[in-house]
Amino acid sequence: MKKKPLILVTNDDGITAPGIRTLIKVMNTIGEVVVVAPDSPQSGMGHAITVDATLHCRKEHIDNGPQIEYSTSGTPADCIKLARHEILDRVPDLCVSGINHGSNSSINVIYSGTMSAAIEAGIEGIPAIGFSLLDYNYDANFSPSEPFIKTITLNVLNNGLPKGVVLNVNIPNLPKKAIKGIKVCRQAKANWVEKFDKRQNPQGKDYYWLTGKFVNLDKGEDTDEWALKQGYISVVPVQFDMTAHHFIQQLNSWSLNEE
Amino acid sequence: MKKKPLILVTNDDGITAPGIRTLIKVMNTIGEVVVVAPDSPQSGMGHAITVDATLHCRKEHIDNGPQIEYSTSGTPADCIKLARHEILDRVPDLCVSGINHGSNSSINVIYSGTMSAAIEAGIEGIPAIGFSLLDYNYDANFSPSEPFIKTITLNVLNNGLPKGVVLNVNIPNLPKKAIKGIKVCRQAKANWVEKFDKRQNPQGKDYYWLTGKFVNLDKGEDTDEWALKQGYISVVPVQFDMTAHHFIQQLNSWSLNEE
């Protein structure tokens, strides 16, 4: 690549979260960086977009890096749309989202604001990667991730991604030496078994907190869950054509058009 | 089926929206109905879940139908989780979501609260269908949809759905006689081209409204967009394994583990 690539950075934990600050640092070693990220945490927002409220956008100076930064009042998907259509004057060569504070492996991809930003970029035709570290702490140690994130990013810039595919990268919470390498995986067929913590407010009215336990019954050794357990970084190619193509033929045999 | 099936009904337009009231009416002719739906509109929420706020849930009596109803302060996905793990004492035989006021065809499945509820039910192992009418008006005419919704619902109850698959049904805004029938389709590769309407508030500060134009460059005659344009009801089987399986082999040829 002759010119420095233009890299759009976002996340769902908010523009000041340590995860995105690490990601910006790594991206500054690769390209020209523009950050457009939520002004406050947006975790669990899934692929929400703001259709019934106004959006605000503000230029920010958070550290002394060479990147240009904007915070917005929107969701991660909103950030991508705003960046692409209002802030940037050319299409970015890459979009990276994260580093999320916590896992987005397996079914979590569905609930993930981090991945919704990557998917939104993919829909816009921008090669995109979501990065997540398996540590929910605000003060998680992101530095072991840095060289791996750089390797994956350079691979995407060099090889490109097919239309309709983005990458979901999850990083185990391990010291650098203990990370065994990078594994291409499929999304494990796992899910959350919810439990609601039912409480009463001071006025005696019931309310709930959502809690749950992650249950993985998928025994495959080609899944993201397996790779992460073994100490690998998982890379799952993710598509946003959600059609269950394998079921179309059988569905056509149903009696949908009989009186 | 000997016993009346237990049907869970939800939506994203809120429990009093005409779309869900029509869906409840149709489901009352088929089974025992429990409604757990948001107390206010949640459109564009994607697959959001409430992890950082409390959830409230209230019993409701909205009309004289035989159904049992609850409204919640949560998103459509929250409603399914609450219904399954707090409200219902057995697993429902079916979950239906909608009827959405507006299209959830093509890429809209990604942004759709209606479909997030159906997908959440699918993740929980409950056969599920999302219904949407291509009319954004609050006072849209839902009655032409009724017999088709009944047919599709009975087909799902009789045939079941494979694990990991739910249905996305979109209904053209046409009189009953003009609807040509029901077509099984794939999700069209279409997207929104966003345009932000930039304004200034009375204090002179910029803000934005998200607007956009839907662009379909997919010329396939097996897509939901094509079917709807021809006057058919589209049925797309939707999966929540988002792995781009077709790209795994090529991804494995990348230099991800070279120093």
Side-chain angles (χ1 to χ4, degrees), chain A residues 44 47-49 55 81 86 110-111 120 124 155 159-160 182 187 194 196 208 237-240 242-244 254-257, chain B residues 44 47-49 55 81 86 110-111 120 124 155 159-160 182 187 194 196 208 237-240 242-244 254-257:
Chain A
H47 207 106
I49 48 169
L55 284 170
K81 288 177 188 285
E86 273 294 320
I110 293 268
Y111 307 104
E120 186 61 40
E124 299 266 1
N155 265 273
N159 297 305
I182 298 168
Q187 173 187 328
E194 278 79 20
F196 285 91
Y208 301 90
V238 167
Q239 63 188 354
F240 39 87
M242 297 187 72
T243 311
W254 286 14
S255 313
L256 291 170
N257 287 299
Chain B
H47 207 106
I49 48 170
L55 285 171
K81 288 177 189 283
E86 274 293 320
I110 293 267
Y111 308 104
E120 186 61 41
E124 299 266 359
N155 265 273
N159 297 304
I182 297 168
Q187 173 187 326
E194 278 80 19
F196 286 92
Y208 301 89
V238 167
Q239 62 188 355
F240 39 86
M242 297 187 74
T243 311
W254 285 16
S255 314
L256 291 171
N257 287 299

Short mmCIF file of all heavy atoms in Angstrom, two decimals, chain A residues 44 47-49 55 81 86 110-111 120 124 155 159-160 182 187 194 196 208 237-240 242-244 254-257, chain B residues 44 47-49 55 81 86 110-111 120 124 155 159-160 182 187 194 196 208 237-240 242-244 254-257:
data_model
loop_
_atom_site.label_atom_id
_atom_site.label_comp_id
_atom_site.label_asym_id
_atom_site.label_seq_id
_atom_site.Cartn_x
_atom_site.Cartn_y
_atom_site.Cartn_z
N GLY A 44 -24.50 -4.14 25.17
CA GLY A 44 -25.79 -4.83 25.08
C GLY A 44 -26.76 -4.16 24.14
O GLY A 44 -27.93 -4.51 24.09
N HIS A 47 -27.72 -4.40 17.50
CA HIS A 47 -27.57 -3.57 16.31
C HIS A 47 -28.58 -2.42 16.33
O HIS A 47 -29.28 -2.15 15.35
CB HIS A 47 -27.73 -4.41 15.05
CG HIS A 47 -26.98 -3.84 13.89
ND1 HIS A 47 -25.82 -4.38 13.41
CD2 HIS A 47 -27.18 -2.72 13.16
CE1 HIS A 47 -25.37 -3.64 12.40
NE2 HIS A 47 -26.19 -2.63 12.23
N ALA A 48 -28.67 -1.72 17.48
CA ALA A 48 -29.61 -0.61 17.59
C ALA A 48 -29.15 0.57 16.76
O ALA A 48 -27.96 0.82 16.62
CB ALA A 48 -29.76 -0.20 19.06
N ILE A 49 -30.11 1.30 16.20
CA ILE A 49 -29.84 2.57 15.52
C ILE A 49 -30.81 3.62 16.06
O ILE A 49 -31.88 3.28 16.55
CB ILE A 49 -29.98 2.48 13.98
CG1 ILE A 49 -31.29 1.78 13.59
CG2 ILE A 49 -28.79 1.78 13.37
CD1 ILE A 49 -31.61 1.89 12.12
N LEU A 55 -29.17 13.08 17.04
CA LEU A 55 -27.79 12.65 17.28
C LEU A 55 -26.90 13.88 17.42
O LEU A 55 -26.99 14.81 16.64
CB LEU A 55 -27.29 11.83 16.09
CG LEU A 55 -27.81 10.40 15.99
CD1 LEU A 55 -27.42 9.80 14.64
CD2 LEU A 55 -27.25 9.56 17.13
N LYS A 81 -22.41 5.03 10.67
CA LYS A 81 -23.21 5.77 9.67
C LYS A 81 -22.79 7.25 9.65
O LYS A 81 -22.61 7.84 8.59
CB LYS A 81 -24.70 5.65 9.99
CG LYS A 81 -25.29 4.26 9.72
CD LYS A 81 -26.77 4.23 10.13
CE LYS A 81 -27.41 2.85 10.08
NZ LYS A 81 -27.70 2.37 8.73
N GLU A 86 -21.13 11.67 7.17
CA GLU A 86 -21.05 13.07 7.58
C GLU A 86 -19.61 13.51 7.87
O GLU A 86 -19.23 14.63 7.53
CB GLU A 86 -21.89 13.30 8.85
CG GLU A 86 -23.34 13.63 8.58
CD GLU A 86 -23.54 14.97 7.87
OE1 GLU A 86 -22.84 15.96 8.19
OE2 GLU A 86 -24.39 15.01 6.97
N ILE A 110 -24.54 -11.71 18.61
CA ILE A 110 -25.90 -11.20 18.37
C ILE A 110 -26.22 -9.99 19.25
O ILE A 110 -26.93 -9.08 18.84
CB ILE A 110 -26.94 -12.31 18.66
CG1 ILE A 110 -26.84 -13.46 17.66
CG2 ILE A 110 -28.36 -11.77 18.76
CD1 ILE A 110 -27.73 -13.36 16.45
N TYR A 111 -25.72 -9.99 20.47
CA TYR A 111 -26.04 -8.93 21.44
C TYR A 111 -25.01 -7.80 21.43
O TYR A 111 -25.15 -6.82 22.15
CB TYR A 111 -26.09 -9.51 22.86
CG TYR A 111 -26.98 -10.70 23.02
CD1 TYR A 111 -26.47 -11.99 23.13
CD2 TYR A 111 -28.37 -10.54 23.06
CE1 TYR A 111 -27.31 -13.08 23.27
CE2 TYR A 111 -29.21 -11.62 23.20
CZ TYR A 111 -28.67 -12.89 23.31
OH TYR A 111 -29.50 -13.98 23.45
N GLU A 120 -22.10 -3.12 10.66
CA GLU A 120 -22.59 -1.93 9.97
C GLU A 120 -21.56 -1.46 8.93
O GLU A 120 -21.91 -1.11 7.80
CB GLU A 120 -22.88 -0.81 10.97
CG GLU A 120 -23.52 0.42 10.36
CD GLU A 120 -24.87 0.15 9.72
OE1 GLU A 120 -25.65 -0.63 10.28
OE2 GLU A 120 -25.13 0.71 8.63
N GLU A 124 -21.79 -1.30 4.77
CA GLU A 124 -21.38 -0.12 3.99
C GLU A 124 -20.25 -0.45 3.01
O GLU A 124 -19.75 0.44 2.32
CB GLU A 124 -20.89 0.99 4.94
CG GLU A 124 -21.94 1.48 5.93
CD GLU A 124 -22.69 2.71 5.43
OE1 GLU A 124 -22.41 3.16 4.31
OE2 GLU A 124 -23.57 3.18 6.16
N ASN A 155 -3.11 -8.35 8.03
CA ASN A 155 -3.62 -9.40 7.15
C ASN A 155 -4.89 -8.95 6.41
O ASN A 155 -5.04 -9.23 5.22
CB ASN A 155 -3.91 -10.67 7.95
CG ASN A 155 -2.74 -11.64 7.91
OD1 ASN A 155 -2.64 -12.47 7.00
ND2 ASN A 155 -1.83 -11.54 8.88
N ASN A 159 -4.98 -8.69 2.47
CA ASN A 159 -5.77 -9.69 1.75
C ASN A 159 -7.17 -9.22 1.38
O ASN A 159 -7.81 -9.82 0.51
CB ASN A 159 -5.91 -10.96 2.62
CG ASN A 159 -4.57 -11.61 2.90
OD1 ASN A 159 -3.82 -11.93 1.99
ND2 ASN A 159 -4.25 -11.80 4.18
N GLY A 160 -7.65 -8.19 2.07
CA GLY A 160 -9.05 -7.78 1.87
C GLY A 160 -9.99 -8.80 2.48
O GLY A 160 -9.57 -9.84 2.98
N ILE A 182 -3.25 -17.76 16.80
CA ILE A 182 -4.54 -17.30 16.27
C ILE A 182 -5.21 -18.46 15.54
O ILE A 182 -4.57 -19.13 14.72
CB ILE A 182 -4.32 -16.10 15.32
CG1 ILE A 182 -3.70 -14.93 16.10
CG2 ILE A 182 -5.62 -15.69 14.65
CD1 ILE A 182 -3.18 -13.80 15.22
N GLN A 187 -18.58 -19.99 14.93
CA GLN A 187 -19.33 -19.57 16.11
C GLN A 187 -19.88 -20.81 16.84
O GLN A 187 -20.60 -21.60 16.25
CB GLN A 187 -20.48 -18.66 15.64
CG GLN A 187 -21.49 -18.23 16.67
CD GLN A 187 -22.65 -17.46 16.03
OE1 GLN A 187 -22.50 -16.76 15.03
NE2 GLN A 187 -23.85 -17.60 16.59
N GLU A 194 -30.84 -17.65 31.20
CA GLU A 194 -31.09 -16.45 32.00
C GLU A 194 -31.63 -16.80 33.38
O GLU A 194 -32.33 -17.80 33.55
CB GLU A 194 -32.10 -15.54 31.29
CG GLU A 194 -31.49 -14.67 30.26
CD GLU A 194 -31.24 -15.41 28.96
OE1 GLU A 194 -31.87 -16.47 28.74
OE2 GLU A 194 -30.39 -14.95 28.17
N PHE A 196 -33.45 -14.26 36.35
CA PHE A 196 -33.75 -12.89 36.75
C PHE A 196 -33.65 -12.78 38.27
O PHE A 196 -34.17 -13.61 39.00
CB PHE A 196 -35.13 -12.47 36.25
CG PHE A 196 -35.13 -12.20 34.78
CD1 PHE A 196 -35.42 -13.21 33.87
CD2 PHE A 196 -34.77 -10.96 34.30
CE1 PHE A 196 -35.39 -12.97 32.52
CE2 PHE A 196 -34.74 -10.71 32.93
CZ PHE A 196 -35.05 -11.72 32.04
N TYR A 208 -36.60 -6.33 38.23
CA TYR A 208 -35.71 -7.43 37.89
C TYR A 208 -34.35 -6.92 37.43
O TYR A 208 -34.25 -5.89 36.77
CB TYR A 208 -36.29 -8.27 36.74
CG TYR A 208 -37.63 -8.87 37.04
CD1 TYR A 208 -38.79 -8.17 36.75
CD2 TYR A 208 -37.73 -10.14 37.60
CE1 TYR A 208 -40.04 -8.72 37.01
CE2 TYR A 208 -38.97 -10.70 37.86
CZ TYR A 208 -40.12 -9.99 37.56
OH TYR A 208 -41.35 -10.53 37.82
N PRO A 237 -15.16 -15.61 10.88
CA PRO A 237 -15.72 -14.76 9.82
C PRO A 237 -17.24 -14.70 10.00
O PRO A 237 -17.88 -15.73 10.17
CB PRO A 237 -15.33 -15.50 8.54
CG PRO A 237 -15.18 -16.93 8.94
CD PRO A 237 -14.76 -16.94 10.40
N VAL A 238 -17.79 -13.50 9.99
CA VAL A 238 -19.21 -13.29 10.29
C VAL A 238 -19.90 -12.70 9.06
O VAL A 238 -19.36 -11.78 8.43
CB VAL A 238 -19.35 -12.32 11.49
CG1 VAL A 238 -20.78 -11.82 11.64
CG2 VAL A 238 -18.89 -13.00 12.77
N GLN A 239 -21.08 -13.24 8.73
CA GLN A 239 -21.83 -12.69 7.59
C GLN A 239 -23.15 -12.11 8.07
O GLN A 239 -23.66 -12.50 9.11
CB GLN A 239 -22.07 -13.77 6.55
CG GLN A 239 -22.91 -14.93 7.04
CD GLN A 239 -22.97 -16.06 6.04
OE1 GLN A 239 -22.48 -15.95 4.92
NE2 GLN A 239 -23.58 -17.16 6.43
N PHE A 240 -23.68 -11.18 7.28
CA PHE A 240 -24.95 -10.57 7.67
C PHE A 240 -26.06 -10.92 6.70
O PHE A 240 -27.15 -10.36 6.78
CB PHE A 240 -24.81 -9.05 7.87
CG PHE A 240 -23.91 -8.37 6.88
CD1 PHE A 240 -24.41 -7.94 5.69
CD2 PHE A 240 -22.56 -8.21 7.15
CE1 PHE A 240 -23.58 -7.32 4.77
CE2 PHE A 240 -21.72 -7.60 6.24
CZ PHE A 240 -22.23 -7.15 5.03
N MET A 242 -28.49 -13.39 6.76
CA MET A 242 -28.94 -14.30 7.83
C MET A 242 -29.82 -15.42 7.30
O MET A 242 -30.37 -16.21 8.06
CB MET A 242 -29.64 -13.51 8.93
CG MET A 242 -28.68 -12.50 9.59
SD MET A 242 -29.38 -11.66 11.04
CE MET A 242 -29.39 -13.00 12.26
N THR A 243 -30.00 -15.50 5.96
CA THR A 243 -30.83 -16.55 5.38
C THR A 243 -30.32 -17.93 5.78
O THR A 243 -29.13 -18.23 5.63
CB THR A 243 -30.83 -16.47 3.84
OG1 THR A 243 -31.08 -15.13 3.44
CG2 THR A 243 -31.86 -17.40 3.23
N ALA A 244 -31.21 -18.78 6.27
CA ALA A 244 -30.88 -20.19 6.52
C ALA A 244 -31.06 -20.95 5.21
O ALA A 244 -32.06 -21.63 5.00
CB ALA A 244 -31.77 -20.75 7.62
N TRP A 254 -43.76 -27.10 2.26
CA TRP A 254 -44.88 -26.88 3.18
C TRP A 254 -46.15 -26.47 2.41
O TRP A 254 -46.09 -26.04 1.27
CB TRP A 254 -44.53 -25.76 4.17
CG TRP A 254 -43.57 -26.13 5.24
CD1 TRP A 254 -42.76 -27.23 5.29
CD2 TRP A 254 -43.31 -25.39 6.43
NE1 TRP A 254 -42.02 -27.21 6.44
CE2 TRP A 254 -42.33 -26.09 7.16
CE3 TRP A 254 -43.80 -24.20 6.96
CZ2 TRP A 254 -41.84 -25.63 8.39
CZ3 TRP A 254 -43.31 -23.74 8.18
CH2 TRP A 254 -42.34 -24.46 8.89
N SER A 255 -47.28 -26.57 3.11
CA SER A 255 -48.56 -26.21 2.49
C SER A 255 -48.89 -24.74 2.76
O SER A 255 -49.85 -24.42 3.45
CB SER A 255 -49.68 -27.07 3.08
OG SER A 255 -49.30 -28.42 3.12
N LEU A 256 -48.09 -23.87 2.20
CA LEU A 256 -48.28 -22.45 2.49
C LEU A 256 -49.32 -21.80 1.60
O LEU A 256 -49.87 -20.77 1.94
CB LEU A 256 -46.93 -21.70 2.36
CG LEU A 256 -45.90 -22.04 3.43
CD1 LEU A 256 -44.54 -21.44 3.07
CD2 LEU A 256 -46.34 -21.54 4.81
N ASN A 257 -49.57 -22.40 0.44
CA ASN A 257 -50.50 -21.77 -0.49
C ASN A 257 -51.73 -22.62 -0.79
O ASN A 257 -52.35 -22.47 -1.82
CB ASN A 257 -49.75 -21.40 -1.78
CG ASN A 257 -48.84 -20.21 -1.56
OD1 ASN A 257 -49.30 -19.14 -1.21
ND2 ASN A 257 -47.54 -20.41 -1.72
N GLY B 44 -36.07 -0.05 15.92
CA GLY B 44 -34.66 0.22 15.66
C GLY B 44 -33.75 -0.23 16.79
O GLY B 44 -32.58 0.11 16.81
N HIS B 47 -30.89 -6.09 18.38
CA HIS B 47 -30.97 -7.15 19.38
C HIS B 47 -30.48 -6.64 20.74
O HIS B 47 -29.67 -7.27 21.40
CB HIS B 47 -30.18 -8.37 18.92
CG HIS B 47 -30.71 -9.64 19.50
ND1 HIS B 47 -31.44 -10.55 18.79
CD2 HIS B 47 -30.67 -10.12 20.76
CE1 HIS B 47 -31.79 -11.55 19.57
NE2 HIS B 47 -31.33 -11.32 20.79
N ALA B 48 -30.97 -5.47 21.14
CA ALA B 48 -30.54 -4.89 22.42
C ALA B 48 -31.12 -5.69 23.58
O ALA B 48 -32.23 -6.20 23.51
CB ALA B 48 -30.99 -3.44 22.50
N ILE B 49 -30.36 -5.79 24.65
CA ILE B 49 -30.85 -6.36 25.90
C ILE B 49 -30.49 -5.38 27.03
O ILE B 49 -29.56 -4.60 26.91
CB ILE B 49 -30.25 -7.75 26.23
CG1 ILE B 49 -28.72 -7.74 26.04
CG2 ILE B 49 -30.89 -8.83 25.38
CD1 ILE B 49 -28.04 -8.97 26.57
N LEU B 55 -35.53 -3.91 35.15
CA LEU B 55 -36.68 -4.21 34.30
C LEU B 55 -37.94 -4.24 35.14
O LEU B 55 -37.95 -4.82 36.23
CB LEU B 55 -36.50 -5.59 33.66
CG LEU B 55 -35.51 -5.69 32.50
CD1 LEU B 55 -35.29 -7.14 32.14
CD2 LEU B 55 -36.05 -4.92 31.31
N LYS B 81 -36.94 -13.16 27.19
CA LYS B 81 -36.20 -13.72 28.33
C LYS B 81 -37.07 -13.70 29.59
O LYS B 81 -37.14 -14.68 30.34
CB LYS B 81 -34.91 -12.91 28.57
CG LYS B 81 -33.82 -13.13 27.51
CD LYS B 81 -32.62 -12.23 27.80
CE LYS B 81 -31.58 -12.21 26.69
NZ LYS B 81 -30.72 -13.40 26.65
N GLU B 86 -39.37 -16.06 33.80
CA GLU B 86 -40.06 -15.53 34.99
C GLU B 86 -41.58 -15.70 34.93
O GLU B 86 -42.20 -16.01 35.92
CB GLU B 86 -39.75 -14.03 35.15
CG GLU B 86 -38.49 -13.75 35.92
CD GLU B 86 -38.59 -14.17 37.39
OE1 GLU B 86 -39.64 -13.96 38.04
OE2 GLU B 86 -37.59 -14.71 37.90
N ILE B 110 -31.53 -7.06 10.41
CA ILE B 110 -30.42 -6.77 11.33
C ILE B 110 -30.80 -5.69 12.35
O ILE B 110 -30.36 -5.71 13.49
CB ILE B 110 -29.19 -6.27 10.51
CG1 ILE B 110 -28.61 -7.37 9.64
CG2 ILE B 110 -28.14 -5.61 11.39
CD1 ILE B 110 -27.51 -8.16 10.28
N TYR B 111 -31.62 -4.72 11.93
CA TYR B 111 -31.97 -3.58 12.79
C TYR B 111 -33.28 -3.81 13.54
O TYR B 111 -33.68 -2.97 14.34
CB TYR B 111 -32.13 -2.31 11.94
CG TYR B 111 -30.96 -2.00 11.04
CD1 TYR B 111 -31.00 -2.22 9.69
CD2 TYR B 111 -29.78 -1.47 11.59
CE1 TYR B 111 -29.91 -1.93 8.86
CE2 TYR B 111 -28.70 -1.19 10.78
CZ TYR B 111 -28.77 -1.42 9.41
OH TYR B 111 -27.70 -1.14 8.62
N GLU B 120 -34.41 -14.27 19.51
CA GLU B 120 -34.18 -14.60 20.93
C GLU B 120 -34.96 -15.86 21.31
O GLU B 120 -34.44 -16.75 21.99
CB GLU B 120 -34.59 -13.43 21.81
CG GLU B 120 -34.26 -13.61 23.28
CD GLU B 120 -32.77 -13.77 23.56
OE1 GLU B 120 -31.97 -13.06 22.95
OE2 GLU B 120 -32.41 -14.64 24.38
N GLU B 124 -33.60 -19.64 22.46
CA GLU B 124 -34.15 -20.36 23.62
C GLU B 124 -34.76 -21.70 23.22
O GLU B 124 -35.31 -22.42 24.06
CB GLU B 124 -35.23 -19.50 24.30
CG GLU B 124 -34.76 -18.17 24.83
CD GLU B 124 -34.35 -18.23 26.30
OE1 GLU B 124 -34.47 -19.31 26.91
OE2 GLU B 124 -33.92 -17.19 26.83
N ASN B 155 -48.78 -23.92 9.80
CA ASN B 155 -47.71 -24.69 9.17
C ASN B 155 -46.53 -24.88 10.12
O ASN B 155 -45.96 -25.97 10.19
CB ASN B 155 -47.24 -24.00 7.89
CG ASN B 155 -47.93 -24.56 6.65
OD1 ASN B 155 -47.47 -25.53 6.07
ND2 ASN B 155 -49.05 -23.96 6.28
N ASN B 159 -45.41 -28.49 11.30
CA ASN B 159 -44.14 -29.02 10.75
C ASN B 159 -42.95 -28.81 11.68
O ASN B 159 -41.93 -29.47 11.52
CB ASN B 159 -43.82 -28.31 9.42
CG ASN B 159 -44.87 -28.58 8.36
OD1 ASN B 159 -45.15 -29.74 8.04
ND2 ASN B 159 -45.45 -27.54 7.80
N GLY B 160 -43.06 -27.88 12.62
CA GLY B 160 -41.91 -27.52 13.44
C GLY B 160 -40.88 -26.75 12.63
O GLY B 160 -41.03 -26.57 11.42
N ILE B 182 -47.93 -16.87 -0.92
CA ILE B 182 -46.79 -16.86 0.00
C ILE B 182 -45.58 -17.45 -0.71
O ILE B 182 -45.69 -18.52 -1.32
CB ILE B 182 -47.13 -17.67 1.27
CG1 ILE B 182 -48.31 -17.02 2.00
CG2 ILE B 182 -45.92 -17.81 2.18
CD1 ILE B 182 -48.92 -17.88 3.10
N GLN B 187 -32.92 -13.56 1.85
CA GLN B 187 -32.74 -12.14 2.18
C GLN B 187 -32.05 -11.44 1.01
O GLN B 187 -30.96 -11.84 0.62
CB GLN B 187 -31.89 -12.08 3.46
CG GLN B 187 -31.44 -10.72 3.91
CD GLN B 187 -30.47 -10.82 5.10
OE1 GLN B 187 -30.58 -11.70 5.96
NE2 GLN B 187 -29.51 -9.92 5.17
N GLU B 194 -27.46 6.11 3.81
CA GLU B 194 -27.87 7.07 4.81
C GLU B 194 -27.65 8.49 4.34
O GLU B 194 -26.73 8.78 3.57
CB GLU B 194 -27.08 6.89 6.11
CG GLU B 194 -27.64 5.80 6.98
CD GLU B 194 -27.21 4.42 6.52
OE1 GLU B 194 -26.21 4.32 5.78
OE2 GLU B 194 -27.88 3.44 6.89
N PHE B 196 -27.77 12.22 6.54
CA PHE B 196 -28.10 12.87 7.80
C PHE B 196 -28.65 14.25 7.53
O PHE B 196 -28.10 15.01 6.73
CB PHE B 196 -26.86 12.93 8.70
CG PHE B 196 -26.54 11.59 9.29
CD1 PHE B 196 -25.65 10.72 8.66
CD2 PHE B 196 -27.15 11.17 10.46
CE1 PHE B 196 -25.38 9.48 9.19
CE2 PHE B 196 -26.89 9.93 10.99
CZ PHE B 196 -25.99 9.08 10.37
N TYR B 208 -28.23 16.03 14.39
CA TYR B 208 -28.57 15.27 13.19
C TYR B 208 -29.82 14.43 13.38
O TYR B 208 -30.07 13.91 14.47
CB TYR B 208 -27.44 14.30 12.84
CG TYR B 208 -26.11 14.96 12.60
CD1 TYR B 208 -25.22 15.18 13.65
CD2 TYR B 208 -25.74 15.36 11.32
CE1 TYR B 208 -23.99 15.78 13.43
CE2 TYR B 208 -24.51 15.96 11.09
CZ TYR B 208 -23.65 16.17 12.15
OH TYR B 208 -22.43 16.76 11.93
N PRO B 237 -36.33 -17.99 5.86
CA PRO B 237 -35.82 -18.68 7.05
C PRO B 237 -34.54 -17.98 7.50
O PRO B 237 -33.65 -17.73 6.68
CB PRO B 237 -35.54 -20.09 6.54
CG PRO B 237 -35.29 -19.94 5.08
CD PRO B 237 -36.07 -18.74 4.61
N VAL B 238 -34.46 -17.64 8.78
CA VAL B 238 -33.35 -16.85 9.31
C VAL B 238 -32.58 -17.68 10.34
O VAL B 238 -33.20 -18.33 11.18
CB VAL B 238 -33.91 -15.56 9.97
CG1 VAL B 238 -32.87 -14.86 10.83
CG2 VAL B 238 -34.45 -14.61 8.91
N GLN B 239 -31.25 -17.64 10.24
CA GLN B 239 -30.45 -18.37 11.22
C GLN B 239 -29.61 -17.40 12.04
O GLN B 239 -29.31 -16.30 11.59
CB GLN B 239 -29.55 -19.40 10.53
CG GLN B 239 -28.54 -18.78 9.58
CD GLN B 239 -27.78 -19.82 8.78
OE1 GLN B 239 -27.95 -21.02 8.99
NE2 GLN B 239 -26.96 -19.37 7.86
N PHE B 240 -29.22 -17.84 13.24
CA PHE B 240 -28.41 -16.97 14.09
C PHE B 240 -27.00 -17.53 14.29
O PHE B 240 -26.25 -17.02 15.11
CB PHE B 240 -29.11 -16.65 15.42
CG PHE B 240 -29.86 -17.80 16.01
CD1 PHE B 240 -29.23 -18.70 16.82
CD2 PHE B 240 -31.21 -17.98 15.73
CE1 PHE B 240 -29.92 -19.77 17.37
CE2 PHE B 240 -31.92 -19.05 16.27
CZ PHE B 240 -31.27 -19.95 17.09
N MET B 242 -24.01 -16.92 12.70
CA MET B 242 -23.60 -15.89 11.74
C MET B 242 -22.26 -16.21 11.09
O MET B 242 -21.72 -15.40 10.33
CB MET B 242 -23.57 -14.53 12.43
CG MET B 242 -24.97 -14.11 12.92
SD MET B 242 -25.04 -12.42 13.56
CE MET B 242 -24.96 -11.46 12.03
N THR B 243 -21.71 -17.40 11.35
CA THR B 243 -20.43 -17.78 10.74
C THR B 243 -20.52 -17.76 9.22
O THR B 243 -21.43 -18.35 8.64
CB THR B 243 -20.03 -19.21 11.17
OG1 THR B 243 -20.15 -19.32 12.59
CG2 THR B 243 -18.61 -19.53 10.74
N ALA B 244 -19.57 -17.10 8.57
CA ALA B 244 -19.46 -17.15 7.11
C ALA B 244 -18.65 -18.40 6.76
O ALA B 244 -17.46 -18.34 6.47
CB ALA B 244 -18.78 -15.89 6.60
N TRP B 254 -4.33 -17.49 5.34
CA TRP B 254 -3.68 -16.22 5.67
C TRP B 254 -2.46 -16.44 6.58
O TRP B 254 -2.35 -17.47 7.24
CB TRP B 254 -4.66 -15.29 6.39
CG TRP B 254 -5.70 -14.66 5.52
CD1 TRP B 254 -6.07 -15.03 4.26
CD2 TRP B 254 -6.53 -13.55 5.87
NE1 TRP B 254 -7.07 -14.22 3.81
CE2 TRP B 254 -7.37 -13.30 4.78
CE3 TRP B 254 -6.64 -12.73 6.98
CZ2 TRP B 254 -8.32 -12.26 4.77
CZ3 TRP B 254 -7.57 -11.71 6.98
CH2 TRP B 254 -8.41 -11.47 5.89
N SER B 255 -1.61 -15.41 6.66
CA SER B 255 -0.40 -15.48 7.52
C SER B 255 -0.72 -14.95 8.91
O SER B 255 -0.18 -13.92 9.33
CB SER B 255 0.72 -14.65 6.90
OG SER B 255 0.84 -14.92 5.54
N LEU B 256 -1.58 -15.65 9.63
CA LEU B 256 -1.99 -15.14 10.94
C LEU B 256 -1.03 -15.53 12.04
O LEU B 256 -0.99 -14.90 13.09
CB LEU B 256 -3.40 -15.63 11.27
CG LEU B 256 -4.52 -15.04 10.42
CD1 LEU B 256 -5.84 -15.76 10.67
CD2 LEU B 256 -4.69 -13.54 10.69
N ASN B 257 -0.25 -16.58 11.81
CA ASN B 257 0.62 -17.06 12.88
C ASN B 257 2.10 -17.00 12.52
O ASN B 257 2.90 -17.73 13.08
CB ASN B 257 0.20 -18.47 13.30
CG ASN B 257 -1.09 -18.44 14.10
OD1 ASN B 257 -1.16 -17.83 15.16
ND2 ASN B 257 -2.14 -19.06 13.56
#
